């Protein structure tokens, strides 16, 4: 999410120096309204009541934001995450004191690892009752909630006086949009949240100006990089999720220079899978084609953009990647300690950095000098394809682990087939949300979509059931595009109740449940890694019946013909969610070998 696009400004700041009385909760809403925030996701409770009272007053006036009640606080945080990714507006979630606040933590930690800007508001016991064992007290003398949030937020503070609120709110929002971006937390006692204060409307901060991203570049570093590229034999661009803000400029640069592109699993959403320069995913559940291009022995320069070289993104810290061939380009200096071996570190606004690289490249090309990216396309040989491969309509530059998956054996649904058909049958503007577990592996490897930024995954923290809440938040961020959440039966049993939010809001979210009666990644990880077979079994659950009980349209899918018979267009138009309870072949092995390698266990690399 770009700080420059925090939302549509709703003008409410008045030029005259007029004072009005507002509660602290009202003041928070005034500022969120200013940057176009539409929802506050949360669960109400006693100590957070002043904030919900303020939301009720705003609602009566027809103003935003409005309350969006989740069924569990972790779901609220996941919804705020999904909403931010889709709408480019600030995600906001809230919870009451004690267990309400602690329930948020997994969702907040997930946003922290994925660097999603988010404002988290939790209530606190009234100030006079600190240390008196009040109900759900979460002060330093009891369950220290502020301390718990300290490790998963970019800014974390308690507001202990009304006069602190405005300053701390501005500091928090500034931190949320500064690199590294992420969630920020304000803990506000019940009595402070409801206290009235005099506010001078004409002297309120203009958040739209404050939250603009700095426009800085390293001109010397850019010139140095251009010389490196000119002197290199073969160059590859390696993109992670942090490259999002500049993807248009990066693609223009790649097309101008014909430098091939490989992404991390979390960066898969950045590029049209069918682009002639794209060779697939490197790392967890990645593609042999990406591995071949990125680690080719003749490659002497890798432009790594927006990455922290995590286990997932680097193929388990592959020693062939982490070499002095790297040039690490990032807006976030915090990522540079992860690449000490890089020959150059280039920091700056990524849009401006790549715009400057485009200008330099044009000058070089106009002068008649070639770029090393020319003629470096490495399509998969037709000899490596099945005879009827053309019927698959799969990108020719991406090599799959199993390219015969479309030839079904028996009536059991192969996850590979299902994922392929999701991309083929759903509209191009469908948003695909990928939950943790085997869904990660199947979707990373086999889903190929033509529109960039329509693929979302929460791989930083790897929280199960992230996709369920994030899908609801995504649909709220854009009601004109269908949302498909691919999740496992284990994840749905954790947070499937958030389906009722999609029912209440009449959202076209299709929950595709990979039903194998198991925690699939645990089961296959144990088998591949030689572990004991324990703790992976799940009971037989009729998820279609469960969905119907909650008000969703539901289908049981036991064979390929069941899936192909679905009216996808009708499903996408429906004002409400749909459950697809898909009974997949439980013996199909996901491409998770690199994960086992990183854990130090045997198993076949993917």
């Amino acid at each position: 999410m770009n700080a420059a696009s925090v939302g549509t400004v709703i003008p409410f700041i008045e030029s005259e120096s007029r004072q009005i009385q507002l509660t602290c909760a009202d003041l928070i809403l005034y500022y969120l309204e200013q940057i176009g925030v539409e929802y506050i996701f949360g669960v109400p409770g006693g100590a957070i009541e002043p904030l919900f009272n303020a939301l009720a007053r705003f609602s009566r006036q027809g103003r935003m934001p409005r309350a969006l009640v989740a069924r569990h606080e972790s779901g609220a945080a996941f919804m705020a995450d999904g909403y931010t990714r889709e709408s480019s507006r600030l995600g906001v979630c809230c919870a009451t004191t004690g267990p309400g606040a602690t329930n948020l933590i997994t969702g907040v930690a997930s946003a922290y690892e994925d660097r999603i800007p988010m404002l988290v508001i939790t209530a606190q016991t009234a100030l006079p009752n600190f240390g008196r064992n009040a109900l759900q007290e979460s002060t330093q003398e009891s369950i220290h909630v502020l301390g718990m949030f300290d490790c998963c937020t970019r800014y974390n503070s308690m507001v202990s006086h009304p006069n602190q609120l405005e300053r701390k709110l501005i500091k928090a929002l500034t931190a949320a949009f500064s690199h590294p971006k992420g969630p920020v937390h304000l803990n506000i006692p019940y009595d402070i949240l409801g206290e009235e204060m005099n506010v001078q409307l004409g002297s309120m901060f203009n958040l739209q100006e404050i939250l603009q991203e700095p426009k800085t570049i390293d001109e010397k570093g850019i010139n140095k990089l251009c010389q490196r590229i000119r002197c290199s034999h073969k160059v590859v661009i390696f993109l992670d999720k942090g490259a999002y803000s500049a993807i248009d400029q990066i693609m223009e640069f790649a097309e101008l220079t014909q430098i091939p592109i490989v992404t991390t699993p979390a960066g898969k959403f950045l590029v049209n899978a069918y682009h002639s320069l794209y060779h697939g995913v490197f790392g967890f559940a990645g593609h042999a084609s990406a591995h071949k291009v990125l680690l080719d022995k003749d490659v002497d320069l890798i432009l790594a953009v927006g990455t922290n070289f995590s286990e997932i993104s680097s193929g388990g810290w592959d020693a062939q990647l982490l070499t002095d061939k790297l040039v690490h380009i990032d807006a976030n200096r915090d990522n540079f300690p992860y690449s000490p071996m890089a020959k150059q570190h280039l920091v700056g606004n990524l849009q401006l950095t790549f715009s400057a690289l485009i200008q330099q490249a044009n000058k070089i090309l106009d002068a008649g000098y070639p770029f090393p990216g020319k003629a470096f396309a490495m399509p998969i040989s037709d000899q490596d394809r099945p005879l009827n491969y053309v019927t698959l309509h799969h990108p020719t530059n991406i090599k799959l682990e199993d390219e015969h998956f479309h030839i079904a054996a028996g009536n059991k649904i192969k996850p590979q087939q299902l994922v392929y058909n999701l991309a083929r049958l759903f509209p191009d503007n469908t948003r695909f949300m990928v939950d943790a577990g085997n869904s990660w592996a199947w979707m990373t490897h086999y889903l190929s979509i033509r529109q960039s930024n329509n693929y979302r995954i929460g791989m930083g923290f790897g929280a199960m059931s992230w996709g369920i809440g994030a899908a609801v938040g995504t649909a709220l961020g854009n009601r004109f595009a269908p949302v498909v959440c691919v999740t496992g039966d284990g994840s749905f049993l954790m947070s499937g109740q958030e389906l009722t939010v999609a029912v209440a809001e009449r959202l076209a979210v299709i929950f595709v449940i990979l039903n194998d009666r198991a925690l699939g990644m645990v089961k296959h990880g144990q088998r591949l890694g030689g572990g004991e077979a324990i703790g992976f079994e799940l009971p037989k659950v009729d998820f279609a019946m469960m969905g119907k009980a909650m008000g969703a349209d539901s289908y049981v899918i036991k064979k390929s013909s069941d899936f192909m018979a679905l009216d996808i267009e009708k499903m996408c138009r429906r004002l409400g969610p749909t459950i697809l309870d898909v009974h997949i072949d439980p013996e199909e092995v996901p491409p998770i070998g690199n994960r086992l390698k990183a854990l130090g266990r045997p198993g076949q690399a993917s």
Side-chain angles (χ1 to χ4, degrees):
M1 176 181 171
N2 300 325
S5 60
V6 293
T8 304
V9 177
I10 301 174
F12 72 89
I13 297 180
E14 302 185 16
S15 57
E16 72 264 22
S17 298
R18 183 166 68 89
Q19 279 194 350
I20 61 171
Q21 266 201 331
L22 299 174
T23 67
C24 286
D26 289 325
L27 183 62
I28 293 170
L29 300 190
Y30 266 65
Y31 271 116
L32 296 181
E33 181 186 46
Q34 184 188 146
I35 55 174
V37 172
E38 297 173 292
Y39 303 100
I40 295 182
F41 302 90
V43 179
I48 197 73
E49 184 179 291
L51 180 61
F52 278 83
N53 289 341
L55 285 163
R57 289 191 290 272
F58 261 55
S59 180
R60 284 196 296 271
Q61 297 172 36
R63 298 167 68 177
M64 293 292 186
R66 75 173 179 91
L68 200 294
V69 178
R71 307 305 177 240
H72 189 275
E73 288 86 356
S74 66
F78 292 147
M79 288 177 197
D81 182 329
Y83 172 79
T84 298
R85 297 190 197 213
E86 175 61 33
S87 69
S88 293
R89 299 171 189 260
L90 178 67
V92 183
C93 57
C94 71
T96 194
T97 190
T102 59
N103 282 346
L104 277 175
I105 288 177
T106 297
V108 175
S110 181
Y112 180 85
E113 285 297 305
D114 282 331
R115 293 173 179 167
I116 303 299
M118 181 185 294
L119 174 63
V120 183
I121 302 168
T122 61
Q124 183 56 272
T125 307
L127 282 170
N129 294 329
F130 275 28
R132 298 183 64 192
N133 294 318
L135 177 66
Q136 299 181 336
E137 182 174 348
S138 50
T139 67
Q140 191 169 358
E141 297 187 46
S142 183
I143 303 300
H144 191 206
V145 161
L146 198 67
M148 293 182 187
F149 278 97
D150 204 41
C151 296
C152 60
T153 53
R154 304 297 179 193
Y155 177 86
N156 180 40
S157 185
M158 178 187 288
V159 178
S160 58
H161 192 281
N163 290 344
Q164 296 176 354
L165 176 65
E166 189 172 33
R167 172 172 50 85
K168 288 192 172 184
L169 177 62
I170 301 304
K171 287 183 71 175
L173 294 177
T174 301
F177 289 104
S178 298
H179 291 289
K181 298 175 184 179
V184 293
H185 175 228
L186 291 178
N187 184 241
I188 311 174
Y190 170 77
D191 48 339
I192 300 296
L193 197 54
E195 187 162 332
E196 291 189 344
M197 57 195 304
N198 291 321
V199 176
Q200 196 88 12
L201 288 178
S203 60
M204 291 178 70
F205 290 97
N206 186 332
L207 286 180
Q208 198 73 15
E209 292 180 354
I210 291 172
L211 300 181
Q212 290 290 325
E213 186 170 345
K215 303 294 185 183
T216 58
I217 58 172
D218 179 358
E219 292 184 0
K220 290 183 179 179
I222 290 170
N223 291 334
K224 185 177 180 181
L225 176 57
C226 280
Q227 289 303 312
R228 289 189 189 280
I229 295 173
R230 283 189 60 192
C231 295
S232 296
H233 179 55
K234 285 185 177 180
V235 185
V236 179
I237 295 174
F238 180 54
L239 299 181
D240 205 348
K241 60 191 176 188
Y244 170 60
S245 64
I247 190 57
D248 291 343
Q249 291 80 9
I250 292 170
M251 294 306 300
E252 183 178 348
F253 176 73
E255 289 166 358
L256 180 66
T257 59
Q258 288 296 292
I259 295 175
I261 300 167
V262 168
T263 68
T264 67
K268 175 185 168 89
F269 77 99
L270 294 167
V271 185
N272 173 355
Y274 293 83
H275 196 288
S276 61
L277 292 173
Y278 183 56
H279 296 269
V281 170
F282 179 86
F284 175 84
H287 303 107
S289 49
H291 190 276
K292 180 179 179 181
V293 167
L294 190 63
L295 303 185
D296 183 278
K297 62 181 178 61
D298 292 329
V299 169
D300 49 3
L301 192 65
I302 298 172
L303 309 184
V305 188
T307 182
N308 62 359
F309 295 101
S310 67
E311 173 196 329
I312 294 291
S313 64
S314 65
W317 306 289
D318 194 306
Q320 296 180 79
L321 170 66
L322 302 179
T323 68
D324 62 1
K325 295 180 180 181
L326 291 170
V327 169
H328 194 170
I329 307 170
D330 219 304
N332 177 21
R333 284 189 176 89
D334 283 14
N335 283 339
F336 290 156
Y338 301 109
S339 58
M341 72 297 294
K343 66 176 66 180
Q344 183 180 351
H345 293 90
L346 182 60
V347 68
N349 180 289
L350 292 181
Q351 290 178 326
L352 295 181
T353 295
F354 275 89
S355 292
L357 285 171
I358 290 167
Q359 291 180 350
Q360 293 273 26
N362 275 317
K363 289 179 181 178
I364 292 168
L365 292 170
D366 288 345
Y369 297 104
F371 261 88
K374 293 288 187 183
F376 188 46
M378 297 178 65
I380 305 301
S381 169
D382 288 341
Q383 295 178 353
D384 296 332
R385 300 293 191 192
L387 291 177
N388 58 345
Y389 181 81
V390 68
T391 63
L392 264 172
H393 306 295
H394 191 74
T396 57
N397 281 356
I398 296 177
K399 172 72 173 174
L400 298 178
E401 185 174 273
D402 175 10
E403 295 195 322
H404 297 269
F405 69 83
H406 60 296
I407 305 172
N411 288 325
K412 291 182 180 179
I413 295 180
K414 291 178 178 285
Q416 306 95 310
Q417 288 177 310
L418 174 69
V419 169
Y420 162 68
N421 282 319
L422 288 175
R424 187 167 68 92
L425 299 179
F426 276 86
D428 284 348
N429 68 334
T430 301
R431 274 57 172 161
F432 289 96
M433 318 301 293
V434 189
D435 223 333
N438 279 351
S439 302
W440 272 5
W442 297 125
M443 294 288 279
T444 296
H445 197 80
Y446 289 98
L447 187 79
S448 296
I449 56 178
R450 296 184 181 277
Q451 286 192 9
S452 61
N453 197 31
N454 284 359
Y455 177 89
R456 316 279 165 77
I457 195 165
M459 297 192 94
F461 199 51
M464 285 179 66
S465 79
W466 169 87
I468 296 170
V472 174
T474 298
L476 286 163
N478 182 354
R479 291 176 179 266
F480 299 101
V483 177
V484 171
C485 172
V486 179
T487 186
D489 42 2
S491 287
F492 202 79
L493 287 172
M494 281 186 179
S495 296
Q497 72 279 354
E498 302 300 347
L499 170 70
T500 61
V501 180
V503 172
E505 294 293 324
R506 307 180 75 192
L507 302 174
V509 181
I510 295 92
F511 294 93
V512 180
I513 303 171
L514 304 184
N515 188 350
D516 59 359
R517 297 180 61 181
L519 299 172
M521 185 168 283
V522 174
K523 179 180 79 172
H524 289 290
Q526 289 169 352
R527 290 180 179 179
L528 291 170
E532 296 287 344
I534 183 172
F536 63 81
E537 298 99 339
L538 292 175
K540 182 179 180 180
V541 177
D542 188 333
F543 291 103
M545 186 177 293
M546 186 176 169
K548 287 177 182 177
M550 295 186 194
D553 205 4
S554 299
Y555 301 89
V556 176
I557 311 295
K558 291 188 176 181
K559 52 186 185 296
S560 295
S561 58
D562 294 339
F563 185 82
M564 301 306 289
L566 293 171
D567 189 339
I568 300 294
E569 183 179 350
K570 179 181 177 182
M571 200 180 298
C572 294
R573 291 198 314 266
R574 185 174 185 270
L575 296 179
T578 302
I579 290 284
L580 301 183
D581 181 2
V582 186
H583 292 233
I584 61 170
D585 185 344
E587 299 307 312
E588 282 295 311
V589 181
I592 60 173
N594 274 341
R595 169 64 176 154
L596 299 177
K597 177 184 173 184
L599 288 172
R601 291 155 60 183
Q604 299 173 355
S606 61

